[in-house]
Amino acid sequence: MTDSSTGTDLAARVLGDRASRRGLMCAFAGAGAAGALAACGTAEPTDSGTTDSGPSSEGDGDQDGGGTPLAATADVPLGGGIVVADTVLVQPDADEFLAFSAACPHMGTTVNPPDAGGVIVCPNHGSEFSLEGELEKGPAETGLSEVDITVEEGQIFLA
C-alpha cells in the first residue's frame, strides 16, 4: 500500500541521493521565511487623512471636520503630543495643532508619542522626528506624512 518513505524516495529521485526529508523541510521552511521577509519590506505610509474620492459634498458629521473628533485639544500637551488611531497629534506652540501619519516612513511601524523632549521616536529602528514631523535621525529617509485636520470648539477632526 502506502510506503512512508515515498516522499523521501521521490525527493531522492528528483534532487539526487543527498535529499532527505529533513533537508526538504528546511528548504520549505526557508522558502516560507523568505516570503514572510519579503512582506516586511519598505512600506509606504498610509495617509488616513485623505481619500481617493476627494471631499464629500454630503454632510458626514455634525462638525465641518466631519464626524467623530480624534481628540480634544486639552488632551494634546503643549510641546508634546499623542497618538490616536493612525495619527500623531502634536501641539508645538500654544494653540497650534499639527497631525501626521503615525506610520514611520521607514517600514510602517506606528511611532511613539513625543517624549519629554518633544521627539517622536519609532520603536522599531529608532528613527526620530521633530514635532513638525521633520526627520531628525534615520534610518527613515523622509519625515512623517502630514495629515489635514481642523480644530473646532476644542475638538480636533480629520479635515
Side-chain angles (χ1 to χ4, degrees), residues 55-75:
S56 172
S57 59
E58 300 176 32
D60 293 23
D62 300 333
Q63 303 287 331
D64 289 341
T68 306
L70 288 173
T73 56
D75 294 338

Side-chain angles (χ1 to χ4, degrees), residues 1 7 13 15 20 33 64 71 90 100 117 124-125 140 151 156 159:
M1 297 263 143
R13 280 187 264 139
L15 300 173
S20 68
D64 289 341
V90 297
F100 305 97
N124 201 17
H125 294 112
V151 179
I156 302 171

